Amino acid sequence: MEALDLWTSNSNSLTLVIYDVERGTENQDAFFEVHIEHEKLAKVEEKQINLKDFPDSNKWQGEITVDGLHFGYTKLYVKLVDPVTSRTERSIQTLEVIVRRTKRVADNTLTYTAAAIALLMFINLGTVLDLKRVASIFSRPIGPLVGFCCRYIIMPGLALGLGALMFKDDKRLQLAAFFTAITPSGGIANICNIFLRGNVNLSLATTTVNSILALGMLPLWVYLIGPLLYPDQKFNLPFIDLAVGCVGLCVALIVGVMLRRCIPKTTRFIFRFLKPFSVVLSLCLVILTVVLNYYIFGEITLLIFLLSLCLPLLGYLLSFTLSKLLCRTATDSMTIAIETSVLNMTLPIVLLEYTMSQPMADMLIVVPITSALVSLCLVLIFYIVRRIFGWNRPVDQDCFDEKAFLVEK
C-alpha cells in the first residue's frame, strides 16, 4: 500500500512482510521491531519478530495493528536489532501513516451556530446605525475605501512577508497566514469599536463593503497566490457560503435599522444593554470556536505565536498611519485600524477546510485561531490603557456615545 489511513481513536491491521534477510550462525539472537516515527500521532503494537523464527525462505509475513492517536503525518518502519553487537539497522522502505481526526456532530454545527450568533450580533448593531451619517459616509467614501485597501492590499502583503520570513520552509503555514489576513473582520471588530468609542457607522459600513467585495477579492487573491504557495493543491472556495453570509449580514443590519425606526422603545432598551449583550455574543462566538477546536493549542509554536502577534499589531499601525496620511480624523483612523487588525476566526477555518485535505486543514487552523485570539487580547490591552489614562471618551461627533442614543427622541 502507498499509505496507511487512520482515524484517531481507531485501529487498523495491515500485513507486514520482511524479506531478503541474510542469516548466519552469528546473528541468530537478532530480532525485528516495528516503530512509528512520531509516537504521539500513532502507536504500533509491541511485537518482537525473532530472526530464528523465520521460515527457510528468509521471509516473514504477519499482521500488525496500528492505533491512531492524534491527527498528522508520520511514518512506520522496521528496525533490526542485534543484542550481541548492539548494532541496529533501519529498513530503507517506510510506510506513510496519515492520521485524520474523527469528525464529531459538533464540527458540522459550528458554522451554522457561528452564523446564527453573527446574525444576532448584526441585528444588535443595526439598531445603532444612523442612516444620515451612513449616507454621508458613502457620499464621500474615503473611509470605506481606506478600509478596503487596508484589508485587501496591506494585510495580504503583510501576511505574505511575515510568512516568508518566519516560515520560509513551510508553504502550508504561509498559506494559512495568508487566508487569515484576507478575510473580513466581522462583527467582533464593530463591537470593539463600540467599546473604544470609534465611529460605529464607519465601522459597519466598512465591514459591509469588505464582506460584499470578498465575493470577488477572495477568489482573486486565492487563485493568484494559492498556486504559488502550494502548487500541488486544487483550490475550491465556498462561494455559496460567502454569498449567503453577505446577504445575511445585510438583512440583519436592515432588521436592526427597522427596529430602531419602527419600535423605538425596544431599541432604547437594546441601547441600555448594548455593551453587555455584545460582550455575551462575542464571547459565545469565541468560546464556541475555541472549545470545538481545543486540540489545536498543542500545535502552537513560538513562530506561530510571533506571527499571530505581528500580523494584527503591524496591521493596526500601518492602517492607522495610512488613514492619518489621508487626513482622516483620529476617530476614523482608529476605527479603520481596528477593522483591519481584529482578525476573523471562523471564515479562515472554512477556507482551509474547503481548500486543504485532512489532516492538513486541522493542522493549519492553529494560525487563524491563534491570530484572532491575540488580536482580541491586543484590543483589550488597548482598551484598558485608554481607560486608565482617561482617553476612552468621545472626542468628536462621530464617536459612539450610548448616552446620546438614550436621550435621542
Side-chain angles (χ1 to χ4, degrees), residues 93-236:
Q93 290 181 314
T94 61
L95 177 67
E96 183 179 17
V97 179
I98 303 172
V99 186
R100 308 177 194 272
R101 183 172 60 89
T102 303
K103 295 298 180 181
R104 302 161 296 173
V105 175
D107 293 332
N108 299 324
T109 61
L110 170 62
T111 303
Y112 302 105
T113 307
I117 294 175
L119 289 178
L120 283 175
M121 196 179 296
F122 279 110
I123 291 174
N124 190 35
L125 292 168
T127 61
V128 185
L129 271 180
D130 187 324
L131 294 182
K132 291 182 179 179
R133 291 184 181 178
V134 172
S136 65
I137 288 172
F138 282 108
S139 64
R140 296 185 61 192
I142 298 176
L145 285 175
V146 175
F148 166 81
C149 293
C150 292
R151 172 56 60 195
Y152 292 117
I153 297 177
I154 290 180
M155 290 300 285
L158 193 58
L160 290 172
L162 290 172
L165 179 65
M166 296 182 180
F167 309 120
K168 60 181 179 180
D169 297 325
D170 196 331
K171 299 293 186 180
R172 297 168 296 187
L173 286 175
Q174 293 182 37
L175 185 67
F178 179 69
F179 280 175
T180 303
I182 62 174
T183 50
S185 57
I188 293 182
N190 308 133
I191 292 170
C192 291
N193 273 308
I194 288 177
F195 279 86
L196 294 169
R197 298 189 183 275
N199 186 344
V200 178
N201 294 293
L202 174 60
S203 178
L204 287 169
T206 304
T207 298
T208 305
V209 169
N210 285 345
S211 298
I212 294 173
L213 293 179
L215 292 171
M217 296 305 299
L218 286 183
L220 176 64
W221 273 116
V222 169
Y223 293 137
L224 183 65
I225 301 298
L228 297 179
L229 294 178
Y230 210 80
D232 298 331
Q233 184 67 33
K234 182 179 179 181
F235 291 92
N236 297 314

Side-chain angles (χ1 to χ4, degrees), residues 330-346:
T331 300
D332 284 1
S333 299
M334 182 190 70
T335 300
I336 294 170
I338 293 296
E339 275 289 316
T340 303
S341 61
V342 174
L343 300 173
N344 196 316
M345 187 182 298
T346 307

Side-chain angles (χ1 to χ4, degrees), residues 133 193-200 275 329-332 334-335 383 386-387 389-405:
R133 291 184 181 178
N193 273 308
I194 288 177
F195 279 86
L196 294 169
R197 298 189 183 275
N199 186 344
V200 178
K275 286 186 176 180
T329 64
T331 300
D332 284 1
M334 182 190 70
T335 300
Y383 173 72
R386 284 171 62 89
R387 289 297 299 266
F389 289 96
W391 299 337
N392 203 57
R393 52 186 173 79
V395 295
D396 57 44
Q397 63 176 0
D398 290 324
C399 283
F400 176 76
D401 186 3
E402 64 271 19
K403 293 180 181 179
F405 285 106

Side-chain angles (χ1 to χ4, degrees), residues 179-370:
F179 280 175
T180 303
I182 62 174
T183 50
S185 57
I188 293 182
N190 308 133
I191 292 170
C192 291
N193 273 308
I194 288 177
F195 279 86
L196 294 169
R197 298 189 183 275
N199 186 344
V200 178
N201 294 293
L202 174 60
S203 178
L204 287 169
T206 304
T207 298
T208 305
V209 169
N210 285 345
S211 298
I212 294 173
L213 293 179
L215 292 171
M217 296 305 299
L218 286 183
L220 176 64
W221 273 116
V222 169
Y223 293 137
L224 183 65
I225 301 298
L228 297 179
L229 294 178
Y230 210 80
D232 298 331
Q233 184 67 33
K234 182 179 179 181
F235 291 92
N236 297 314
L237 290 178
F239 289 104
I240 296 178
D241 291 348
L242 291 173
V244 170
C246 289
V247 173
L249 184 153
C250 295
V251 170
L253 288 177
I254 292 171
V255 169
V257 172
M258 295 301 294
L259 283 175
R260 180 178 179 181
R261 294 181 65 88
C262 301
I263 317 176
K265 290 184 179 180
T266 302
T267 53
R268 285 195 181 92
F269 175 80
I270 292 175
F271 291 150
R272 290 186 183 275
F273 299 97
L274 178 63
K275 286 186 176 180
F277 188 57
S278 299
V279 169
V280 170
L281 288 177
S282 301
L283 286 177
C284 287
L285 184 58
V286 172
I287 291 173
L288 177 68
T289 307
V290 170
V291 168
L292 292 181
N293 298 285
Y294 68 93
Y295 53 85
I296 61 96
F297 290 103
E299 309 296 321
I300 297 176
T301 64
L302 178 60
L303 287 179
I304 289 176
F305 176 77
L306 288 177
L307 173 82
S308 303
L309 178 64
C310 292
L311 187 59
L313 190 59
L314 292 178
Y316 182 94
L317 295 174
L318 291 175
S319 55
F320 187 88
T321 303
L322 177 63
S323 301
K324 292 299 291 182
L325 290 175
L326 294 175
C327 302
R328 297 293 88 198
T329 64
T331 300
D332 284 1
S333 299
M334 182 190 70
T335 300
I336 294 170
I338 293 296
E339 275 289 316
T340 303
S341 61
V342 174
L343 300 173
N344 196 316
M345 187 182 298
T346 307
L347 187 53
I349 295 176
V350 175
L351 290 178
L352 286 170
E353 289 179 346
Y354 264 85
T355 57
M356 306 298 290
S357 59
Q358 295 293 355
M360 185 53 62
D362 282 336
M363 296 169 65
L364 295 181
I365 63 174
V366 61
V367 176
I369 291 179
T370 307

Side-chain angles (χ1 to χ4, degrees), residues 16-132:
L16 173 67
V17 180
I18 303 175
Y19 56 92
D20 287 345
V21 179
E22 295 183 2
R23 292 186 297 175
T25 57
E26 71 281 357
N27 63 356
Q28 287 300 305
D29 293 329
F31 57 87
F32 289 93
E33 294 177 337
V34 185
H35 291 274
I36 295 287
E37 280 190 353
H38 298 95
E39 294 182 350
K40 77 169 189 175
L41 302 183
K43 180 179 70 174
V44 63
E45 64 175 321
E46 295 183 4
K47 192 167 189 176
Q48 184 173 303
I49 307 164
N50 296 312
L51 193 62
K52 59 185 178 182
D53 295 336
F54 272 51
D56 296 334
S57 60
N58 293 337
K59 175 181 175 181
W60 181 91
Q61 180 173 327
E63 297 287 324
I64 59 172
T65 302
V66 184
D67 300 314
L69 302 178
H70 187 75
F71 62 88
Y73 298 88
T74 185
K75 291 183 182 297
L76 182 146
Y77 64 93
V78 176
K79 184 169 70 172
L80 174 62
V81 180
D82 189 343
V84 177
T85 61
S86 299
R87 293 178 57 187
T88 61
E89 181 181 345
R90 175 172 166 170
S91 59
I92 298 175
Q93 290 181 314
T94 61
L95 177 67
E96 183 179 17
V97 179
I98 303 172
V99 186
R100 308 177 194 272
R101 183 172 60 89
T102 303
K103 295 298 180 181
R104 302 161 296 173
V105 175
D107 293 332
N108 299 324
T109 61
L110 170 62
T111 303
Y112 302 105
T113 307
I117 294 175
L119 289 178
L120 283 175
M121 196 179 296
F122 279 110
I123 291 174
N124 190 35
L125 292 168
T127 61
V128 185
L129 271 180
D130 187 324
L131 294 182
K132 291 182 179 179

